[in-house]
DNA sequence: TTGTATGCGTTATCAA
DNA sequence: TTGATAACGCATACAA
């Protein structure tokens, strides 16, 4: 039960002028007489006039709005990315409509549909865990809807992408474990359809192979990102006849429960098992032991994502060639992987 | 560069019928001839017609949309609340527009403004940390805009609210510490303008007073929810001439860095300092020691929040009297506060 | 400097 | 069962 909001028509009627004059005054067009303008402004102020954005957008056939769909805002990485994306978008005069897919393919397609109906001018998208079929995204591309994927993308799609070099990062992380004396290194991966997880798996294999430690994927277990599942996979891992002495996890969200499960089993970290992970959430430094993790330049990734989208949004002559930006990562070493106290010992192992 | 989307006008022209017929067919009105309907549907399907939501909303003067503003989606509590709110809203046929205030009063007022312009029909709001002046919310109330506050609300506002009994919960938590042998109990509170923090403070005082342990607020320190600040406050707390032997924190997000800082200082938890907190984030069970925390019924709170809003949205005769729902909490006891191994010893202390 | 008229894509109220 | 036509609130080309 609220009274009808005031419109430019109300103001025009009250001031006995035309609605176009009110419209122009409100928008600060230069041709308006100062007296007229101030009268309009005064009344608008007094009545707390709020322009109807729907009508505005409809009239201009533009919304200056971009749709952002992420799997889950409770993951630090995604909510941080959202903040960065929002800042960059606002800076460029765009506003943002946020949706979560809740890791569901169905929900993802529905959100795309909804945003499309809401006339967003472009999409920033990170695929859900359950998305293996990408027809819904392909449809956007076919329609020439500006689109940038980040982090969770799919291969073989003619879309702009922003990501880190997952393979290289995993290689780096795995080699760090090897340098710290690990010989049987396990990988708690994400679901098999996650490209990012597979790339990290590849980097993990690369490092093991390079150091003559690769023995098939017997130490690779897939997690579905739930706490319960990770606890189970970790226990399974530790019950292997030859349990691992090093662990790489695809995300801090996987590492936390994994470390918990190991500690419960009396496994000492890093002495029995050294752990390295991905994402470098702020909380990772607060765990005990603090967690070594690959950090991604979230701030820059958000800005770059928006930049690639703006390129498409503001292109005047036809569709633009998709562009992929690979951002650097950084290994942040903490207690969970620093096994050796002595640099000499470290060097000894490496040269042996 | 995308081609103009297809409209009902396009379909009408192609089928040589009127736009009203197309509109009716698309919306499944019963009076349409089956042949006409199927022809329309076929073409709509083929051309992937997407109704323009802006135009739809403008024409109906209804958006069936509610605006949700929270301080920060990276807090577990808020992103979980959002999920619950979204589910309940969708169920009731509403969609949700989400914004973050980023704990800024200015941003909060801007978001309200934006959502108002976007014609949301009601608000669900949790105030930012920096919001002490509530004129912006009062203005909504005056305009009879349906509104429900949750968790972070302000006193003396004629709005519907959903929250937990913070005072009682803090009392319960503090008494739990006392029962576990703590005698000098500190409270890491939130900013002084946070009502919720002050209520918890009151409950903390109640419990101390009841047990003859209250010695003024020398053990009360205020945090601003950043990690750095919490680390500092904790160190200050532990440097007191008589450091505390029990700690209550206003949020798990405060407890994590506090526990970290104490552990760094060699303080043993719970033996030297027992810790109890608020929110019961899923991660709290994974920390070592695992964190005792007050849990709030997030799922139910979200549903209740939406229920109270719907009551206002669907009221036909004038504004509705604001309603406040206080939800129950639960103390989830974990390692961080379980100091005594023996029940006999525990009973001994209590009866002494 | 201001007003008139038209359009944005839909819904809804009349007639037919 | 269908079709004109007028809203919805605003922007804008063109006239005045």
């Amino acid at each position: 039960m609220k009274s009808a909001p005031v419109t430019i028509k109300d103001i025009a009627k009250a001031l006995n002028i035309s609605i176009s004059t009110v419209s122009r005054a409100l928008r600060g067009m230069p041709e308006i007489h100062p007296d007229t303008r101030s009268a309009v402004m005064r009344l608008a102020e007094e009545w707390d006039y709020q322009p109807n954005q729907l009508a505005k957008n409809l009239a201009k056939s533009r919304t200056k709005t971009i749709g952002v769909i992420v799997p889950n805002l409770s993951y630090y990485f995604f909510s941080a990315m959202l903040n960065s994306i929002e800042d960059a978008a606002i800076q460029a005069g765009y506003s943002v409509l946020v949706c979560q897919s809740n890791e569901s393919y169905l929900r993802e397609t529905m959100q795309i549909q909804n945003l499309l109906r809401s006339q967003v001018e472009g999409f920033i998208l990170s695929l859900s865990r359950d998305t293996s079929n990408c027809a819904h995204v392909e449809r956007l591309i076919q329609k020439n809807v500006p689109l940038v994927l980040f982090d969770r993308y799919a291969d073989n799609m003619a879309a702009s992408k922003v990501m880190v070099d997952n393979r290289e990062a995993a290689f780096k992380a795995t080699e760090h474990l090897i340098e710290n004396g690990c010989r049987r290194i396990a990988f708690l991966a994400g679901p098999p359809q996650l490209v990012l997880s597979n790339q990290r798996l590849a980097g993990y294999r690369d490092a093991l192979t390079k150091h003559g430690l690769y023995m098939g994927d017997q130490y690779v277990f897939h997690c579905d990102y739930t706490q319960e599942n990770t606890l189970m996979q970790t226990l399974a891992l530790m019950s292997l006849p030859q349990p691992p002495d090093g662990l790489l996890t695809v995300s801090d969200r996987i590492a936390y429960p994994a470390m918990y499960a190991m500690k419960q089993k009396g496994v000492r970290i890093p002495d029995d098992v050294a752990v390295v992970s991905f994402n470098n959430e702020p909380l990772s430094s607060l765990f005990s032991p603090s967690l070594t993790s690959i950090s991604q330049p979230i701030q820059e990734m958000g800005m770059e994502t928006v930049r690639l989208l703006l390129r498409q949004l503001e292109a005047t002559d036809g569709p633009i060639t998709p562009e992929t930006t690979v951002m650097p990562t950084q290994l942040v070493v903490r207690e969970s992987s620093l096994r050796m106290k002595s640099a000499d010992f470290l060097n000894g192992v490496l040269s042996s």
Side-chain angles (χ1 to χ4, degrees), chain A:
Chain A
M1 279 310 321
K2 30 171 305 212
S3 42
V6 20
T7 70
I8 52 172
K9 195 190 283 179
D10 300 324
I11 298 182
K13 204 175 299 172
L15 260 33
N16 214 5
I17 56 182
S18 78
I19 60 167
S20 36
T21 304
V22 176
S23 171
R24 285 190 270 249
L26 251 14
R27 279 175 302 148
M29 313 238 77
E31 67 254 27
I32 294 296
H33 189 96
D35 294 350
T36 319
R37 157 165 301 126
S38 60
V40 169
M41 292 309 229
R42 238 192 83 275
L43 203 54
E45 179 82 8
E46 185 182 330
W47 286 355
D48 191 22
Y49 165 76
Q50 300 286 350
N52 183 323
Q53 196 63 43
L54 302 183
K56 224 164 177 162
N57 289 339
L58 186 60
K60 303 186 76 153
S61 296
R62 281 215 65 178
T63 58
K64 278 266 194 180
T65 298
I66 68 189
V68 177
I69 306 178
V70 295
N72 197 322
L73 285 167
S74 72
Y75 294 166
Y76 165 75
F77 176 75
F78 290 120
S79 70
M81 273 296 287
L82 172 62
N83 285 328
S84 170
I85 288 170
E86 241 180 333
D87 287 349
I90 288 176
Q91 183 112 28
Y94 285 79
S95 54
V96 162
L97 246 38
V98 205
C99 299
Q100 305 181 77
S101 64
N102 285 339
E103 302 283 19
S104 141
Y105 166 73
L106 194 69
R107 182 113 179 196
E108 186 171 284
T109 63
M110 284 180 44
Q111 301 285 29
I112 290 182
Q113 199 89 336
N114 288 341
L115 290 174
L116 234 29
R117 285 160 159 40
S118 297
Q119 310 299 113
V120 299
E121 299 183 9
F123 283 87
I124 291 178
L125 182 53
S126 196
L127 299 177
S128 95
R129 186 190 58 204
D130 295 346
T131 301
S132 45
N133 174 350
C134 283
H136 58 319
V137 184
E138 297 286 4
R139 219 171 306 138
L140 290 180
I141 298 174
Q142 273 185 350
K143 284 203 213 174
N144 283 326
V145 179
L147 165 68
V148 180
L149 294 163
F150 76 90
D151 193 51
R152 305 251 203 109
Y153 62 97
D155 281 326
N156 306 330
M157 283 201 344
S160 289
K161 295 166 195 158
V162 173
M163 56 191 159
V164 295
D165 191 338
N166 288 302
R167 186 162 182 168
E168 188 266 347
F171 179 87
K172 197 159 62 181
T174 308
E175 204 161 45
H176 168 75
L177 285 169
I178 297 171
E179 283 166 5
N180 275 267
C182 300
R183 290 300 171 263
R184 293 181 308 282
I185 299 176
F187 180 40
L188 283 180
Q193 68 270 27
L194 258 195
V195 171
L196 144 178
S197 173
N198 294 332
Q199 292 178 331
R200 291 175 189 176
L201 178 56
Y204 155 88
R205 288 183 187 135
D206 289 348
L208 292 184
T209 303
K210 172 180 168 193
H211 292 268
L213 295 171
Y214 186 59
M215 306 168 290
D217 286 343
Q218 48 180 307
Y219 287 119
V220 176
F221 283 62
H222 294 271
C223 302
D224 66 6
Y225 277 83
T226 64
Q227 237 170 246
E228 302 69 35
N229 177 265
T230 305
L231 292 174
M232 284 183 46
Q233 302 293 337
T234 307
L235 293 180
L237 201 52
M238 300 315 291
S239 320
L240 251 32
Q242 285 245 340
D245 59 0
L247 174 62
L248 180 68
T249 63
V250 76
S251 156
D252 289 358
R253 292 282 153 160
I254 302 282
Y256 301 151
M259 291 206 293
Y260 175 82
M262 290 193 291
K263 284 190 282 188
Q264 289 295 308
K265 278 285 170 191
V267 175
R268 291 166 307 161
I269 305 170
D271 302 297
D272 297 333
V273 178
V275 181
V276 176
S277 179
F278 274 85
N279 279 1
N280 192 32
E281 297 197 8
L283 286 182
S284 293
S285 60
L286 301 182
F287 266 81
S288 28
S290 58
L291 179 60
T292 296
S293 195
I294 293 277
S295 108
Q296 313 187 31
I298 299 186
Q299 191 67 36
E300 292 74 17
M301 286 176 76
M303 292 175 55
E304 177 65 9
T305 306
V306 172
R307 194 185 69 77
L308 291 189
L309 190 67
L310 288 175
R311 242 181 104 244
Q312 303 173 55
L313 286 169
E314 276 151 22
T316 48
D317 33 68
I320 261 188
T321 325
E323 193 174 337
T324 294
T325 305
V326 178
M327 317 274 303
T329 60
Q330 204 184 338
L331 178 69
V332 180
V333 178
R334 298 203 184 87
E335 296 163 354
S336 70
S337 68
L338 262 193
R339 186 178 278 173
M340 330 223 164
K341 309 302 177 207
S342 146
D344 290 341
F345 181 39
L346 181 70
N347 291 334
V349 168
L350 280 181
S351 59
S352 70

